Amino acid sequence: MKYLAKTDPKIYKLIQAERKRQEQTLMMIPSENIVSLAVQEAVGSCLGNKYAEGYPKKRYYQGQEVVDQVELLAQERAKKLFKVEYVNVQPYSGSPANLAVYFALVKPKEKIMGLSLSAGGHLTHGANLNASSVFFTSVSYGVTKTGYIDYDQLEDLALKERPKVIVAGTTAYPRLLDWKRFAEIAEKSGSYLMADISHIAGLIVGGVYPSPVEYADIITSTTHKTLRGPRGAIIMVTKKGLLKDPQLDKKIDKAIIPGLQGGPHLNAIAGIATALKEASKKSFAQYAKQIIVNAKQLEVKLKEFGFNLVTGGTDSHLLLVDLRNFNLLGNTAAELLEKVNIVVNRNAVPFDPNPPFYPSGIRLGTPGITSRGMKKPEMSVIAEIIFNVIVLGSKLKNELKINDAQERITGQRSKIIKQAEASLRKYRQKVLDLCRKFPIPKSY
Ligand code: DSN
């Protein structure tokens, strides 16, 4: 980074600081990951200088002979890896990708149906205030008391509402999705089935999570989560989707450009192509397998320590911990864990009695720490640290007589954190030791 250091020392220093933060913390937000140097080089390349509105061989500007090959390569690799008929690699990220699908298939105010945000769905699956519910009419399905998707409710609702698109996708759901059941319901209600596999794409190509390809018409995915690529997204159309609607691929292309986007980010598309190549290797399948082994080990250990996990556990890369029996908000838990260099996010649990900004749970996942090479023994150490930190927070909240309403106030939570600091040092040291033993792959 010698050029950046000279031209813009402030940004250079901030990047160094962020790299150090990543080196010294356990990345346990389940949607984050650490990409390879190869992917970083592609993203930082001169491809970002080029405008290329349109699609390979059908662009608006000249000078496309090289970038056409980049985009075609990304498309071909995605098609082969996910076993689909058609891929658009241009979406800037997951949210525009989902919006493009709705834009392609749903008229303003017609219905879409997704998992509610409070039950583990994504903002773009029809949440309040999001474009997916402002421009379209959003109907949400939910989960049962056990935390599993309520497929019976989903079916009743789909038959009643007849949405244009049913979204099978999640952002905070630890279990497998029943693609077949989704497809049967979509068939009955005459809906397109869109699978949003953003969280699980890497697990699917690694062969450790069932693929929706046989069942969905359209599949969207970000590329930077378990797939371990750069920030970006892809939209895929399956054989089933094309049989149902032979124009589906063209509708998606049109929705991306001229519908929603301008010039594609060819540098990101090159990074996606490289990540797809990496994901086709045997070592990636081993990585995907280890992500789940690690999540399962966390499940076992956290349960031994008395944590309640939504649905009782996980089949994937993430766990949703309901902290109500520890009498601590997700905010306090996440802030305390950050003090020992474990980075997770606060998260609502299904039927959360607390508001979304002060939810009762935390969401954690294993893609990032598995990229560092950590395995089951390290998961046991991490689970024990999480337990100790949360028990300490709970005890201090009690001793400081901070009630649930006060705990929502930053200043009150700071009292707990300040009081905890001395005792947290030893756990922070343990985390630092782990980070040193399992360095992140070299990074710019
Ligand atoms: N922010 C992502 C996540 O954390 O799941 C989804 O967009």
Side-chain angles (χ1 to χ4, degrees):
M1 284 200 164
K2 59 184 182 205
Y3 298 103
L4 185 63
K6 198 161 167 239
T7 304
D8 193 343
K10 280 190 182 158
I11 286 292
Y12 171 77
K13 276 194 195 127
L14 287 171
I15 293 174
Q16 300 309 308
E18 172 60 12
R19 189 206 294 151
K20 188 168 168 209
R21 188 195 68 79
Q22 291 186 18
E23 279 168 358
Q24 297 189 342
T25 55
L26 298 180
M27 174 191 273
M28 292 188 73
I29 292 174
S31 47
E32 292 181 350
N33 212 333
I34 306 161
V35 301
S36 69
L37 271 186
V39 167
Q40 290 184 53
E41 280 180 347
V43 174
S45 72
C46 65
L47 296 176
N49 296 340
K50 185 72 194 111
Y51 251 122
E53 284 102 330
Y55 292 100
K57 315 261 188 270
K58 286 172 284 184
R59 309 277 191 194
Y60 291 92
Y61 300 166
Q62 301 310 116
Q64 310 291 346
E65 66 272 20
V66 179
V67 294
D68 271 6
Q69 293 177 61
V70 172
E71 187 165 344
L72 288 169
L73 204 50
Q75 288 174 356
E76 284 314 311
R77 285 180 183 167
K79 280 200 247 177
K80 199 164 159 212
L81 199 57
F82 287 96
K83 303 186 178 65
V84 291
E85 300 296 301
Y86 156 89
V87 179
N88 187 311
V89 294
Q90 293 196 9
Y92 297 147
S93 201
S95 301
N98 288 350
L99 194 57
V101 174
Y102 308 145
F103 192 48
L105 304 177
V106 191
K107 291 200 185 74
K109 296 298 163 200
E110 283 186 341
K111 286 175 194 156
I112 62 157
M113 186 167 141
L115 180 62
S116 74
L117 188 65
S118 56
H122 190 252
L123 271 176
T124 59
H125 298 167
N128 239 349
L129 302 180
N130 186 265
S132 55
S133 77
V134 174
F135 298 116
F136 309 104
T137 303
S138 157
V139 185
S140 300
Y141 56 90
V143 293
T144 64
K145 289 275 174 241
T146 60
Y148 279 85
I149 286 176
D150 189 341
Y151 290 97
D152 294 336
Q153 182 223 13
L154 200 171
E155 178 160 355
D156 291 346
L157 208 57
L159 292 178
K160 184 170 154 246
E161 304 284 353
R162 308 251 165 209
K164 269 309 227 343
V165 174
I166 294 179
V167 182
T170 64
T171 199
Y173 185 73
R175 295 298 184 175
L176 301 183
L177 293 180
D178 187 345
W179 303 122
K180 188 163 177 278
R181 184 84 198 268
F182 269 111
E184 286 164 0
I185 296 171
E187 206 72 43
K188 284 189 198 167
S189 61
S191 317
Y192 288 101
L193 181 62
M194 166 183 141
D196 178 347
I197 60 166
S198 294
H199 265 264
I200 49 176
L203 304 179
I204 291 171
V205 301
V208 291
Y209 192 109
S211 165
V213 165
E214 207 186 310
Y215 302 103
D217 302 308
I218 307 139
I219 303 172
T220 61
S221 181
T222 50
T223 45
H224 48 270
K225 298 188 175 90
T226 48
L227 194 56
R228 212 160 60 179
R231 303 198 87 84
I234 54 180
I235 303 175
M236 301 174 258
V237 178
T238 62
K239 200 172 185 175
K240 185 178 180 202
L242 282 174
L243 277 176
K244 181 178 193 153
D245 179 353
Q247 296 300 310
L248 206 43
D249 50 352
K250 291 175 195 70
K251 287 181 185 172
I252 297 290
D253 278 353
K254 218 171 123 202
I256 287 288
I257 179 165
L260 283 170
Q261 296 191 171
H265 299 174
L266 261 314
N267 55 330
I269 290 172
I272 290 171
T274 305
L276 291 167
K277 182 171 184 197
E278 291 175 350
S280 67
K281 299 215 164 103
K282 258 204 189 122
S283 56
F284 191 87
Q286 277 158 4
Y287 164 64
K289 194 167 160 204
Q290 191 65 45
I291 288 178
I292 299 206
V293 168
N294 286 350
K296 282 305 241 185
Q297 179 69 4
L298 275 179
E299 170 195 312
V300 169
K301 288 291 156 189
L302 289 172
K303 280 164 84 170
E304 275 174 23
F305 285 121
F307 285 103
N308 288 329
L309 304 180
V310 173
T311 72
T314 183
D315 300 322
S316 66
H317 61 304
L318 77 80
L319 302 101
L320 199 51
V321 188
D322 184 337
L323 294 169
R324 279 176 290 176
N325 59 330
F326 283 84
N327 188 30
L328 210 61
L329 283 182
N331 306 52
T332 320
E335 287 162 19
L336 283 163
L337 287 169
E338 190 170 11
K339 286 283 169 203
V340 301
N341 292 20
I342 296 179
V343 182
V344 304
N345 65 276
R346 65 178 186 271
N347 214 99
V349 297
F351 311 104
D352 204 323
N354 285 308
F357 214 72
Y358 305 100
S360 304
I362 51 173
R363 186 184 68 151
L364 39 101
T366 52
I369 52 179
T370 307
S371 284
R372 297 181 85 128
M374 293 186 189
K375 296 209 164 77
K376 276 170 85 171
E378 290 73 44
M379 298 306 119
S380 303
V381 175
I382 292 168
E384 190 171 352
I385 296 173
I386 291 175
F387 169 70
N388 284 317
V389 169
I390 285 173
V391 164
L392 177 68
S394 182
K395 187 173 136 253
L396 289 174
K397 176 181 165 186
N398 201 25
E399 280 174 17
L400 290 163
K401 299 194 178 9
I402 293 175
N403 65 31
D404 294 349
Q406 289 167 328
E407 195 187 353
R408 292 184 192 170
I409 301 163
T410 311
Q412 295 290 330
R413 289 200 304 280
S414 306
K415 284 188 195 162
I416 300 177
I417 289 157
K418 200 153 185 287
Q419 193 81 5
E421 248 159 24
S423 315
L424 291 180
R425 256 177 234 134
K426 59 177 180 295
Y427 303 123
R428 182 170 182 272
Q429 193 50 53
K430 278 190 184 179
V431 171
L432 283 173
D433 292 344
L434 271 182
C435 291
R436 248 190 304 277
K437 202 161 154 211
F438 296 90
I440 59 172
K442 250 173 86 64
S443 158
Y444 286 114

